[in-house]
Amino acid sequence: GAVVSQHPSWVICKSGTSVKIECRSLDFQATTMFWYRQFPKQSLMLMATSNEGSKATYEQGVEKDKFLINHASLTLSTLTVTSAHPEDSSFYICSARDPMTGDNSPLHFGNGTRLTVT
Amino acid sequence: GQNIDQPTEMTATEGAIVQINCTYQTSGFNGLFWYQQHAGEAPTFLSYNVLDGLEEKGRFSSFLSRSKGYSYLLLKELQMKDSASYLCAVRDSNYQLIWGAGTKLIIKP
């Protein structure tokens, strides 16, 4: 089945620094990828939709300049958390759907990135 | 607004059967998904329903009633490894996924 790889699995950074998270579709081409954030004991919250070759679409309340998304190829999307603060500490998960399996195909998720900002 | 309701937590016994309910109110309907999420891990796909009725897949079954805005996930022959959160998600008319908060299932020996 479709596989989505996410890296790194966990990262600890100091407040004020930037962190880049990579999301790759390993066996399919994804024109669209989705970035979620999940706080403890809460559900998934869609942050933005990453579109290959064009600008990402951000959900209401998500700062575009703080969460930079780049989707430079059909298999890679990156999320950069800029000037990270402790409140950005969360579990970030990317996902994608294999377009070749139709509109009803499920989302496949990466393994997630646990970000801790100290 | 759009809303998905599921119980916060359920407890069941190893070997038993448990049913996790999900009710939804969304702008249109283009399918309902169930995902399993173990603590600290990403969700994994379990089932998909777009037509009314029961979809069976091994120990797991999922039911949908579109007229009632209702679904359930049925887990049989529970195993300790089934302890996880179960997420219900509905795709609305814009093909956006609306997520429930998840049901934490605790399996006791």
Side-chain angles (χ1 to χ4, degrees):
Chain A
V3 178
V4 175
S5 174
Q6 187 172 341
H7 176 81
S9 299
W10 59 270
V11 59
I12 301 173
C13 70
K14 292 185 177 181
S15 186
T17 60
S18 295
V19 173
K20 179 185 283 188
I21 303 170
E22 292 187 348
C23 181
R24 296 179 185 273
S25 55
L26 296 185
D27 54 359
F28 65 97
Q29 294 183 328
T31 55
T32 303
M33 290 185 176
F34 304 91
W35 286 96
Y36 287 88
R37 181 168 55 184
Q38 187 177 34
F39 292 105
K41 299 184 179 181
Q42 295 187 22
S43 189
L44 298 170
M45 186 191 79
L46 180 65
M47 298 175 66
T49 301
S50 172
N51 304 300
E52 188 269 334
S54 64
K55 292 182 179 180
T57 305
Y58 289 82
E59 297 299 305
Q60 191 173 7
V62 178
E63 299 175 57
K64 301 178 183 180
D65 295 332
K66 180 168 184 62
F67 299 100
L68 300 179
I69 291 175
N70 184 286
H71 195 151
S73 78
L74 287 170
T75 58
L76 174 63
S77 175
T78 62
L79 168 68
T80 302
V81 182
T82 63
S83 187
H85 292 286
E87 56 265 31
D88 298 324
S89 298
S90 186
F91 191 48
Y92 293 85
I93 317 173
C94 71
S95 67
R97 183 181 297 111
D98 184 349
M100 299 303 291
T101 55
D103 288 338
N104 297 330
S105 61
L107 280 180
H108 297 280
F109 288 87
N111 287 330
T113 299
R114 176 75 59 193
L115 171 63
T116 302
V117 184
T118 61
Chain B
Q2 309 205 86
N3 192 52
I4 295 185
D5 288 316
Q6 359 177 183
T8 303
E9 187 174 298
M10 298 182 70
T11 302
T13 304
E14 189 177 17
I17 299 173
V18 70
Q19 177 175 309
I20 302 174
N21 296 324
C22 171
T23 58
Y24 62 89
Q25 300 90 38
T26 56
S27 305
F29 178 84
N30 279 300
L32 184 145
F33 298 84
W34 283 96
Y35 283 82
Q36 180 191 60
Q37 185 177 26
H38 285 100
E41 299 180 9
T44 55
F45 170 72
L46 287 178
S47 68
Y48 170 73
N49 295 72
V50 67
L51 299 176
D52 291 348
L54 188 68
E55 294 284 340
E56 297 186 80
K57 191 183 294 185
R59 294 189 298 116
F60 293 2
S61 303
S62 56
F63 172 83
L64 173 68
S65 169
R66 288 172 295 171
S67 62
K68 295 181 179 179
Y70 168 70
S71 173
Y72 68 72
L73 179 69
L74 191 71
L75 292 75
K76 303 177 183 178
E77 301 170 14
L78 286 170
Q79 302 175 9
M80 297 303 292
K81 67 178 182 179
D82 297 330
S83 293
S85 287
Y86 291 85
L87 307 176
C88 172
V90 173
R91 183 181 285 160
D92 67 10
S93 57
N94 294 320
Y95 275 76
Q96 298 296 314
L97 268 182
I98 313 301
W99 292 87
T103 299
K104 182 179 180 180
L105 178 63
I106 300 169
I107 309 297
K108 295 186 175 180

